[in-house]
Amino acid sequence: MTRAWRGAGWGGVLAALAGSVAGVALQLQQAALWPAGIYAASLIAGLLLWPCAGLAAGRHRMPGLVLAMLAGLLLGAGQTGARAGLRAHDALVPALEGREIVVEGRIDRMPQHRDGGLRFAFDLDGAAGLPGRAMLFWPEAVPAAEAPHAGERWRLAVRLRAPHGNLNPHGFDYELWLYEQDIQATGTVRAAPAPERLARPDFWALPLERASEWVRDRILARTDGSSAGRVVAALVTGDQSAIAPADWEVFRATGVAHLMSISGLHVTMFAWLAAAVVGRLWRLSPRLMLRWPAPHAGLVGGLLLAALYAGFSGWGLPSQRTVWMLAVAVLLRLSARRWPWPVAWLVVLALVVALDPWGLLQAGFWLSFVAVAALFATDAGPLAGGAANRRSGAVRRLLREQMVVTLALAPLGLLLFQQVSLVGLAANLLAIPVVTLVVTPLGMLGIVLPPAWDVAAFVVEALRGGLAWAAQMPGATFSAAAPPLWAAAAGVAGGALMGAPGPLAWRLMGLPLLLPVLLWRAEPVAAGEFEVLAADVGQGGAVIVRTAGHVLLFDAGPRYGARADAGTRVLVPLLRAQGLRLDRLLLSHRDADHTGGAAAVRAAHPAVGEAGPPCARGLRWQWDGVDFEVLHPAPEDARPLAPHNATSCVLRIGNGRASALLTGDIEQPQELQLVADHGEALRADLLLVAHHGSRSSSAEPWLRAVRPAVAVAQNGWRNPFGHPAPEVRARFRRLGIPLHESAVCGAAQWRSRAPAALVCERQAAARYWHHRPSPPAGEE
């Protein structure tokens, strides 16, 4: 069998590896898991098919390659589905959701500082109905005699719930992020009974995690928690949550965000330095030199120390990819073998995917592997000539490699983030040597010589100042609608081709491949039609209205904490992903759950102005054949920052064939007044339910007057107000009006050309790891 595969060359290996990755990718598209027997059969079939593929490859190459790819596909899909099935059995029992219970377990990650408290992963002792791990938040308001630390055992009163996040088109999948870490519940620590530490960690309990926490806390203490000090802490320990949101904005706008975490570049540099030091020390002992050559000892020592550094810094995907790539390189060097770069690259990719299948859907995975592939594919070979020629050649190679990575990753950045930095090439040429050769080594040196942390923070502050200046330059970033996968893949190939060595005419052939991703536009709205997207922002209101040539945002969602709001997390990325520029921001009233994201939206869309027009009866306009009219409040009541729900805006949108009625937090007296004033004219196909479904709103006469085909209540999952109220749900059900809640639906898309239909993101883009919430008992 080995001889048969050897005769077939690398083709069979590549086919099997590619098949295994494809099998994982296909399994990650499943809306629901298959029965466990199918996954078991897939694994068995893959194992049986592999030797058959080897025999076939020895006689007939093409059938052997097909069988090898099929075997890999079955193995990849089988192992991913089987592991997912095991996790499904570890889910939180629904009957325990929202109840206060006392649990015992161990903190297995260093606690991270969040707005108003600490967040940490908690290994629960296997009590019935509880998952193995939960992500807990410990509010500052809950007192503790001592701060919790990694490795400690605690008894905590908690309130748990199933993992649930906002689900919007092209948005961050919080539930996938939790699932990848095998976290099956989230929860909050309660004050009573008081938290109790049961045991401190022994020496062998999470030594790397505890050491990392110890170092992080001392860096922050040494630098007085400055923003530069938090960047140093992130570079040394991998705690990216330490970096301030404003700094992340600067790093993203200048294309250097990848440097501000433990990246492959940092791990590679550390491995190179470690290999040099180990090799040097090895040469000091003639006895060791006789047993094993110093170059080999340096390679192995550098690899082991690099793996230790990667584990110390959190073992993120870029670190994993780099460690496995280094391991393959070291094994090949020790065995005096040479593999074609596609084989080495695909071996590492398949290994990382096998260990972490859900990482295949993370942005960092593709940024890492595409960058390495582009560099491999465009490698011009070793430098030759004298010392001066080699130095100048090294500079030219550095410039070319950075250009290749920039061009290859730009289309991918548009697919993943709908934004790419146009100053990224210059910014990286400055930031890469500063961060990798100055800041990170100083940060590591500070572990034994703390004043080095002060110097590192000073350098970071200076670098950040330069990057902030670059980020403010006109045209520093380019944004476009999220392209389809085929356009992004073509763009990556085109960018790599343009940066490859060779004749200019050959490289220019990559330009047409870039055009689809650069020119892609979201599906247009026909003239005279309009679309409404009720964004999933949790407990708050935010609705995007599109016509053929204009965009309105009605409310801007809630503020989630001191460092996060719906504008930054949801609305700005959502508008960017759809390639939309706001023409008007209309805030219904002053409540924070409707205005929390307004500042971030205005910063990203300056054209909407600081205040915008007041939302008062009599305001009306027309865009592209669509009429907009404010029905409430009266002008004399429409004071800026009016404090009462009674003055909430009510906006009617229509084109003569279909209409939508958007409300803020009006209550029943205002609803009844609108019925008296407008009567049958209130009829609408889509109703945004007032006050998220509060019992103080949605009066029956109001609902009978509006008679919507569909209604949407923007509410948070298990929100503390109980919205929508049971009697409101019953009222909608009694009148035969379909009521969709954003907590169950996700983002809700409605189109005037199909006024009776509503598309829920949580159903349209369902995956098996997504939470499937249901109405409370008795409310189905």
Side-chain angles (χ1 to χ4, degrees):
M1 181 58 58
T2 303
R3 188 179 299 113
W5 273 117
R6 189 178 299 159
W10 289 110
V13 176
L14 288 172
L17 293 174
S20 68
V21 175
V24 172
L26 289 173
Q27 185 56 37
L28 295 182
Q29 301 304 308
Q30 293 294 116
L33 290 173
W34 296 329
I38 294 180
Y39 296 118
S42 178
L43 287 169
I44 294 172
L47 292 172
L48 294 176
L49 201 57
W50 175 247
C52 299
L55 290 173
R59 297 178 176 84
H60 304 286
R61 184 176 180 81
M62 187 53 65
L65 296 180
V66 172
L67 290 176
M69 179 171 286
L70 182 58
L73 188 145
L74 291 170
L75 290 171
Q79 69 96 9
T80 302
R83 290 169 61 184
L86 293 176
R87 294 190 178 190
H89 288 294
D90 199 28
L92 175 67
V93 173
L96 295 179
E97 279 200 75
R99 292 174 50 190
E100 290 194 15
I101 57 176
V102 176
V103 298
E104 295 182 6
R106 184 181 71 174
I107 299 173
D108 74 343
R109 290 287 185 272
M110 63 175 172
Q112 298 178 332
H113 295 276
R114 285 291 189 270
D115 291 337
L118 296 174
R119 188 184 73 176
F120 52 87
F122 195 69
D123 270 347
L124 297 163
D125 293 344
L130 294 178
R133 298 182 76 213
M135 184 69 74
L136 299 182
F137 179 71
W138 189 321
E140 291 176 350
V142 176
E146 296 182 54
H149 298 286
E152 295 177 342
R153 289 185 54 79
W154 284 78
R155 179 183 292 118
L156 302 171
V158 297
R159 181 175 289 172
L160 298 178
R161 69 178 192 175
H164 186 97
N166 300 331
L167 207 57
N168 293 282
H170 309 288
F172 174 66
D173 193 338
Y174 177 67
E175 293 166 37
L176 172 63
W177 182 79
L178 291 174
Y179 193 89
E180 184 188 7
Q181 301 176 74
D182 198 15
I183 291 173
Q184 299 291 335
T186 61
T188 304
V189 177
R190 314 296 290 180
E196 179 185 357
R197 179 187 285 110
L198 300 178
R200 297 186 183 276
D202 57 39
F203 179 80
W204 297 107
L206 305 174
L208 290 180
E209 196 72 25
R210 288 162 48 216
S212 183
E213 182 187 2
W214 184 87
V215 170
R216 181 203 61 184
D217 291 347
R218 273 145 189 80
I219 293 175
L220 296 178
R222 177 82 191 189
T223 59
D224 296 324
S226 66
S227 60
R230 292 197 290 269
V231 172
V232 175
L235 289 170
V236 175
T237 67
D239 183 9
Q240 297 180 40
S241 67
I243 300 179
D247 288 342
W248 274 125
E249 290 300 317
V250 170
F251 299 149
R252 292 190 186 103
T254 52
V256 303
H258 65 101
L259 291 173
M260 302 306 164
S261 57
I262 306 299
S263 69
L265 195 59
H266 300 143
V267 177
T268 301
M269 179 207 69
F270 186 89
W272 178 77
L273 291 174
V277 171
V278 171
R280 182 75 174 178
L281 294 175
W282 198 268
R283 289 183 177 88
L284 298 178
S285 171
R287 180 175 299 178
L288 293 176
M289 287 281 290
L290 291 173
R291 288 182 176 274
W292 211 24
H296 289 182
L299 288 173
V300 174
L303 173 63
L304 294 177
L305 290 174
L308 187 65
Y309 171 55
F312 173 82
S313 59
W315 196 241
L317 269 175
S319 299
Q320 292 180 42
R321 183 261 303 165
T322 304
V323 168
W324 296 123
M325 191 72 77
L326 290 172
V328 170
V330 168
L331 289 174
L332 292 176
R333 184 77 173 270
L334 295 178
S335 60
R337 297 174 183 270
R338 291 182 63 87
W339 283 2
W341 77 260
V343 175
W345 180 84
L346 196 52
V347 164
V348 176
L349 184 143
L351 177 60
V352 171
V353 169
L355 294 173
D356 180 15
W358 300 278
L360 193 63
L361 297 180
Q362 303 291 6
F365 177 94
W366 291 106
L367 292 173
S368 296
F369 277 99
V370 169
V372 171
L375 291 176
F376 272 139
T378 59
D379 187 14
L383 298 173
N389 287 336
R390 286 196 296 271
R391 283 195 295 271
S392 63
V395 172
R396 289 195 301 271
R397 169 172 284 188
L398 175 63
L399 291 171
R400 184 182 60 79
E401 288 180 348
Q402 187 56 50
M403 182 178 67
V404 167
V405 171
T406 300
L407 289 172
L409 294 187
L412 198 58
L414 290 176
L415 174 67
L416 298 172
F417 312 115
Q418 298 79 56
Q419 181 175 302
V420 64
S421 174
L422 299 183
V423 298
L425 177 59
N428 274 280
L429 288 175
L430 169 67
I432 287 176
V434 170
V435 173
T436 58
L437 300 179
V438 180
V439 176
T440 303
L442 284 172
M444 298 301 294
L445 179 63
I447 297 174
V448 294
L449 193 64
W453 288 332
D454 300 327
V455 181
F458 175 80
V459 175
V460 167
E461 189 61 41
L463 175 64
R464 188 198 177 283
L467 294 175
W469 173 80
Q472 296 299 319
M473 293 178 63
T477 60
F478 171 77
S479 299
L485 182 59
W486 67 265
V492 169
L497 185 59
M498 292 185 68
L504 178 61
W506 171 258
R507 285 184 281 138
L508 288 177
M509 292 177 64
L511 185 59
L513 296 175
L514 286 172
L515 294 180
V517 72
L518 295 176
L519 301 178
W520 185 262
R521 295 292 180 267
E523 180 184 357
V525 178
E529 302 292 346
F530 66 102
E531 296 181 357
V532 176
L533 177 65
D536 185 4
V537 294
Q539 185 67 18
V543 178
I544 299 170
V545 182
R546 291 179 62 197
T547 66
H550 295 82
V551 183
L552 164 74
L553 178 62
F554 183 85
D555 282 340
R559 174 167 286 277
Y560 302 127
R563 305 202 307 173
D565 56 66
T568 303
R569 285 191 179 176
V570 178
L571 298 174
V572 172
L574 179 55
L575 290 166
R576 188 166 58 224
Q578 296 183 330
L580 303 179
R581 300 297 301 177
L582 280 184
D583 296 287
R584 180 168 290 183
L585 170 62
L586 201 61
L587 299 177
S588 64
H589 62 304
R590 65 171 295 182
D591 283 3
D593 57 335
H594 294 255
T595 63
V601 170
R602 288 184 178 121
H605 298 264
V608 301
E610 275 300 313
C615 191
R617 189 173 66 203
L619 176 64
R620 61 177 64 197
W621 69 95
Q622 187 180 85
W623 282 342
D624 312 308
V626 179
D627 296 312
F628 295 77
E629 181 184 6
V630 174
L631 305 181
H632 183 79
E636 59 271 19
D637 295 327
R639 303 183 304 276
L641 301 180
H644 303 297
N645 290 339
T647 57
S648 290
C649 185
V650 176
L651 177 66
R652 188 180 190 278
I653 310 168
N655 61 3
R657 299 177 300 278
S659 61
L661 199 60
L662 309 184
T663 64
D665 283 352
I666 62 169
E667 298 182 343
Q668 292 190 14
Q670 292 76 52
E671 293 174 340
L672 297 177
Q673 184 62 51
L674 284 167
V675 171
D677 291 344
H678 299 279
E680 287 295 316
L682 290 174
R683 175 76 175 89
D685 298 284
L686 170 69
L687 172 65
L688 184 68
V689 178
H691 205 177
H692 321 287
S694 166
R695 60 173 47 90
S696 64
S697 303
S698 300
E700 188 160 327
W702 162 261
L703 296 180
R704 290 187 181 279
V706 178
R707 286 180 293 151
V710 289
V712 175
Q714 291 188 288
N715 67 312
W717 173 245
R718 291 194 171 274
N719 64 84
F721 312 102
H723 295 159
E727 56 265 42
V728 172
R729 285 197 183 99
R731 201 172 297 146
F732 276 89
R733 187 169 58 250
R734 186 168 59 252
L735 295 176
I737 302 171
L739 175 62
H740 300 268
E741 305 171 29
S742 56
V744 179
C745 175
Q749 178 80 50
W750 178 90
R751 293 178 171 88
S752 61
R753 66 174 183 266
L758 191 80
V759 177
C760 289
E761 184 70 12
R762 195 167 284 276
Q763 281 76 55
R767 296 294 182 268
Y768 60 78
W769 55 81
H770 285 156
H771 182 215
R772 288 171 168 77
S774 57
E779 296 297 327
E780 291 84 6

